[in-house]
Amino acid sequence: QKEVEQDPGPLSVPEGAIVSLNCTYSNSAFQYFMWYRQYSRKGPELLMYTYSSGNKEDGRFTAQVDKSSKYISLFIRDSQPSDSATYLCGAGGTSYGKLTFGQGTILTVHP
Amino acid sequence: EPEVTQTPSHQVTQMGQEVILRCVPISNHLYFYWYRQILGQKVEFLVSFYNNEISEKSEIFDDQFSVERPDGSNFTLKIRSTKLEDSAMYFCASSITGTGGYEQYFGPGTRLTVT
């Protein structure tokens, strides 16, 4: 079983839509979770960081972690064409900073 | 805004050659990492480094790989004898701490092509 699983998509939505991106994980020792945005052939850009369960909001982005179901989500409100990218979820906490990533979800927001 | 930088952006090398990939982490960060991403695949952890020592390494990080912080600003990944399957994007990342402020900031990557 993969430690972090993510539906690769692709996901295509119209501009202005609410986007929901999700990951599941299997390792109960994971304590912190991050969402990254990656444009083609670029480095991952940190969007959201969450420690343990709960919600965190930053502008149009909301991250949710439910440790009881081992489920993490990223919501994007009022999506824009510039949000078109691959979104990576990462989890860590088992050792010195090692992050385990999902496959990434390819998102396209069309005008 | 501080950022992680990496050089070169693209490196082409022949199989069996040694390569050194360079990174300058964010200046007040103490933990450093290398990850790689083979085209179309997920980002994979290679190694973490703190206080001039390797903290953890993955099974990918075999004897062909080594890391070093040769001075107060650079962090390098050396591959001693490159193989075709080492072709990938290599990302350096850094964080303030490994057990508190976990946010890891990634560099733009070095694309390594082994021919």
Side-chain angles (χ1 to χ4, degrees), chain B residues 93-112:
Chain B
S94 68
S95 64
I96 291 178
T97 75
T99 56
Y102 281 113
E103 293 99 319
Q104 291 186 25
Y105 295 87
F106 281 68
T110 293
R111 183 153 59 102
L112 176 64

Side-chain angles (χ1 to χ4, degrees), chain A residues 1-70:
Chain A
Q1 184 182 16
K2 295 177 186 175
E3 284 196 288
V4 179
E5 298 213 44
Q6 188 175 4
D7 185 343
L11 183 61
S12 181
V13 301
E15 183 175 354
I18 296 175
V19 176
S20 172
L21 303 168
N22 309 292
C23 287
T24 58
Y25 65 94
S26 58
N27 192 335
S28 300
F30 286 148
Q31 293 291 326
Y32 55 93
F33 307 90
M34 297 184 215
W35 283 96
Y36 289 85
R37 178 172 62 195
Q38 186 177 29
Y39 294 110
S40 181
R41 294 191 176 241
K42 301 293 184 186
E45 173 193 4
L46 180 64
L47 287 176
M48 300 288 284
Y49 164 77
T50 314
Y51 186 82
S52 198
S53 281
N55 293 359
K56 185 173 183 179
E57 189 173 319
D58 184 2
R60 296 185 295 112
F61 299 92
T62 300
Q64 285 185 353
V65 175
D66 182 346
K67 293 192 74 181
S68 63
S69 58
K70 298 188 178 68

Side-chain angles (χ1 to χ4, degrees), chain B residues 16-29:
Chain B
Q17 295 297 303
E18 174 183 288
V19 294
I20 297 176
L21 310 183
R22 291 183 167 80
C23 167
V24 178
I26 294 172
S27 62
N28 63 336
H29 285 189

